[in-house]
Amino acid sequence: MENFEKAAETVVVGNYVEMEREGKASDLKSKLSDMFWHGGSAYDAWFSCASNQVAQVLLTLPYSFSQLGMLSGILFQLFYGILGSWTAYLISILYVEYRTRKEREKVNFRNHVIQWFEVLDGLLGKHWRNVGLAFNCTFLLFGSVIQLIACASNIYYINDNLDKRTWTYIFGACCATTVFIPSFHNYRIWSFLGLVMTTYTAWYLTIASILHGQVEGVKHSGPSKLVLYFTGATNILYTFGGHAVTVEIMHAMWKPQKFKSIYLFATLYVLTLTLPSASAVYWAFGDLLLNHSNAFALLPKNLYRDFAVVLMLIHQFITFGFACTPLYFVWEKLIGMHECRSMCKRAAARLPVVIPIWFLAIIFPFFGPINSTVGSLLVSFTVYIIPALAHIFTFRSSAARENAVEQPPRFLGRWTGAFTINAFIVVWVFIVGFGFGGWASMINFVHQIDTFGLFTKCYQCPPPVMASSPPPISHPHFNHNHTRVL
């Protein structure tokens, strides 16, 4: 069995080794390009996963804590962190299984990026492919929308001369430049910098909140309403559901079979950022966060906060690319441009993908509530329910289990334990995440529309300060009724 696994590993890795050697042979002129641009190691994958996972939700988790309460907020982070790591592991197993089977059939993926819907198609058929494609693309579409909304929300706290909608126009144009990034191979330096940026921001939020202290009369009433409770829970479900790009990250690795534990280690690091920051901000500001979904809104303006805002803006640009790149691949395959060698032609072909993202960000600028809605309706299926069911159905026969490239861990009970965990995830996420979470997040989302309206110019912006009119000049000899004072 051990020899079989090694042989399978060699099959899976084969083309990556060849591709890397060819790249080095033809491009010895620039070692700096290899160092900063061409990534494919396990470390690159870890940086990509950790950087992509935390993103702008770092700023909305205190808002979720105000809805859930401190204890529930901490427990849900730990719980969904474990569930997310398990389903990312399942996706990695299914990818390796699919690729191994295809490469045994002499299929060459040298100029083709494998995606999740293709894994489902190869293992389970076209109906699974269609469902997976619909959920995955819709989630990544709104994931990109959320990053664009976050850019406008954050920059407003540095420069409020322009409203958030205008900033959305500007950053939409900036984020469109991600069409020039070929694939996840080329995010090496960006992933590293992105994680540095979120690490600074997380510890800024923690330290600034502690130094600020609790506001006068602070209240911590959460959880106070069932709707708010499940809305907050689904935002955390969304937080640890960032592995919709797992297959693309794995495909960018030289040895993709090493991915299976990477997402778990990325999640453990992310928890060291999210737990202290969300707890500290909620401790300091309490129920004020219920009306301020962006944590920056409550912290005093100074150089440290402005620096954190700038870093998060850059990071959101990177995360926009992470979410949008798989959509670029799908679009390229649809129009027959995926294997085109000219990056300029591919970039031009990708531009139509950005337009609906830009438009949706202007329609629904509800930073915070939109996370919960996407989490309950899309993330619940895309990265929790579908991978768990796909694993069960792929290995439902004894022959498939015996010939599997990767066996489930022994300490979890092998196949029985894996299928039990999968069934629990399906039931839990469907009832709690999609059911209760969908109900609560949609009520909250509709409330935002009723309160602010679609296409709102500046969501949750403080009302403009009206210039006070000068007091009326009274004549000393007359009263207000123009009666002579005797």
Side-chain angles (χ1 to χ4, degrees):
M1 185 67 191
E2 185 176 345
N3 293 332
F4 172 77
E5 289 181 357
K6 288 182 178 178
E9 180 175 312
T10 304
V11 171
V12 174
V13 179
N15 281 356
Y16 281 91
V17 175
E18 291 173 8
M19 286 169 65
E20 192 60 21
R21 285 174 181 167
E22 286 179 5
K24 288 182 179 178
S26 62
D27 192 24
L28 291 174
K29 63 182 180 181
S30 180
K31 290 184 179 180
L32 285 176
S33 177
D34 289 340
M35 183 181 298
F36 295 113
W37 185 249
H38 298 294
S41 68
Y43 296 104
D44 291 312
W46 183 84
F47 279 116
S48 294
C49 290
S51 177
N52 182 54
Q53 189 175 357
V54 67
Q56 47 74 39
V57 293
L58 195 65
L59 307 176
T60 63
L61 284 174
Y63 168 66
S64 296
F65 269 47
S66 70
Q67 297 169 322
L68 289 164
M70 186 75 78
L71 179 60
S72 291
I74 292 171
L75 292 178
F76 268 117
Q77 281 203 44
L78 296 173
F79 178 67
Y80 282 127
I82 293 170
L83 258 59
S85 299
W86 174 257
T87 53
Y89 165 76
L90 296 181
I91 293 171
S92 72
I93 295 304
L94 293 171
Y95 169 86
V96 171
E97 184 72 27
Y98 166 77
R99 182 157 185 181
T100 303
R101 293 184 188 182
K102 288 297 180 182
E103 292 195 345
R104 285 173 184 163
E105 299 169 4
K106 308 301 182 183
V107 177
N108 192 333
F109 294 108
R110 182 163 301 178
N111 296 316
H112 183 93
V113 176
I114 299 173
Q115 294 189 266
W116 175 232
F117 71 92
E118 294 169 317
V119 173
L120 293 174
D121 186 21
L123 296 177
L124 295 168
K126 64 178 182 179
H127 297 302
W128 283 82
R129 176 200 65 195
N130 295 339
V131 172
L133 180 63
F135 274 106
N136 199 261
C137 287
T138 309
F139 167 45
L140 291 172
L141 179 77
F142 277 96
S144 304
V145 168
I146 288 170
Q147 299 309 319
L148 199 50
I149 294 170
C151 286
S153 178
N154 289 342
I155 191 63
Y156 183 80
Y157 296 112
I158 290 182
N159 186 339
D160 59 2
N161 293 326
L162 299 177
D163 58 77
K164 292 182 181 179
R165 187 168 64 191
T166 304
W167 281 119
T168 303
Y169 293 140
I170 295 170
F171 278 98
C174 294
C175 290
T177 59
T178 56
V179 298
F180 291 100
I181 301 177
S183 73
F184 284 96
H185 271 298
N186 311 113
Y187 274 95
R188 165 170 277 186
I189 188 64
W190 295 113
S191 297
F192 172 76
L193 291 176
L195 194 58
V196 170
M197 294 168 186
T198 51
T199 300
Y200 170 86
T201 303
W203 287 109
Y204 158 74
L205 292 174
T206 304
I207 295 170
S209 298
I210 293 172
L211 293 178
H212 181 278
Q214 292 184 313
V215 295
E216 186 177 354
V218 64
K219 292 182 180 179
H220 300 89
S221 58
S224 58
K225 296 179 180 178
L226 207 57
V227 170
L228 294 179
Y229 187 82
F230 284 109
T231 301
T234 50
N235 186 38
I236 296 178
L237 177 85
Y238 170 83
T239 301
F240 294 97
H243 43 290
V245 295
T246 296
V247 170
E248 289 82 1
I249 292 174
M250 285 187 70
H251 193 83
M253 293 178 67
W254 301 320
K255 296 183 179 181
Q257 77 284 351
K258 288 187 174 182
F259 183 87
K260 57 188 177 183
S261 59
I262 286 175
Y263 196 87
L264 174 62
F265 289 116
T267 299
L268 292 175
Y269 180 78
V270 165
L271 285 170
T272 68
L273 305 181
T274 58
L275 286 173
S277 59
S279 302
V281 176
Y282 178 54
W283 168 81
F285 298 101
D287 290 352
L288 288 177
L289 287 159
L290 289 170
N291 296 315
H292 297 86
S293 55
N294 190 326
F296 283 143
L298 294 173
L299 290 165
K301 180 177 174 59
N302 54 38
L303 182 62
Y304 299 105
R305 193 195 75 165
D306 289 351
F307 187 55
V309 171
V310 171
L311 292 183
M312 286 305 293
L313 286 172
I314 300 171
H315 183 264
Q316 279 146 11
F317 166 82
I318 297 168
T319 310
F320 181 94
F322 268 111
C324 222
T325 298
L327 294 177
Y328 296 152
F329 293 155
V330 173
W331 179 249
E332 288 172 356
K333 292 171 184 177
L334 181 66
I335 64 175
M337 290 288 292
H338 185 57
E339 296 186 8
C340 176
R341 295 298 183 95
S342 171
M343 195 57 232
C344 290
K345 290 181 180 178
R346 288 177 64 190
R350 290 173 170 188
L351 279 174
V353 176
V354 181
I355 295 172
I357 295 170
W358 211 347
F359 187 62
L360 289 168
I362 294 166
I363 299 177
F364 306 115
F366 310 127
F367 184 69
I370 194 173
N371 295 21
S372 299
T373 307
V374 171
S376 61
L377 303 182
L378 298 173
V379 174
S380 56
F381 283 94
T382 305
V383 296
Y384 291 99
I385 294 175
I386 291 177
L389 287 175
H391 188 264
I392 292 172
F393 280 90
T394 299
F395 300 107
R396 64 186 181 277
S397 68
S398 58
R401 292 193 295 273
E402 289 174 7
N403 296 320
V405 176
E406 180 76 30
Q407 298 288 323
R410 182 177 298 173
F411 69 90
L412 290 177
R414 291 295 188 189
W415 292 105
T416 302
F419 287 173
T420 302
I421 296 171
N422 292 346
F424 170 77
I425 289 174
V426 171
V427 173
W428 174 273
V429 175
F430 184 79
I431 294 174
V432 177
F434 175 70
F436 290 110
W439 162 74
S441 60
M442 283 305 298
I443 288 177
N444 189 33
F445 194 77
V446 171
H447 175 68
Q448 304 305 315
I449 296 175
D450 292 340
T451 304
F452 297 96
L454 300 176
F455 297 97
T456 185
K457 198 171 184 180
C458 207
Y459 176 66
Q460 286 189 340
C461 295
V465 179
M466 302 298 293
S468 56
S469 55
I473 301 174
S474 57
H475 196 280
H477 299 291
F478 292 88
N479 62 13
H480 293 295
N481 295 319
H482 302 284
T483 306
R484 178 77 181 225
V485 179
L486 300 178

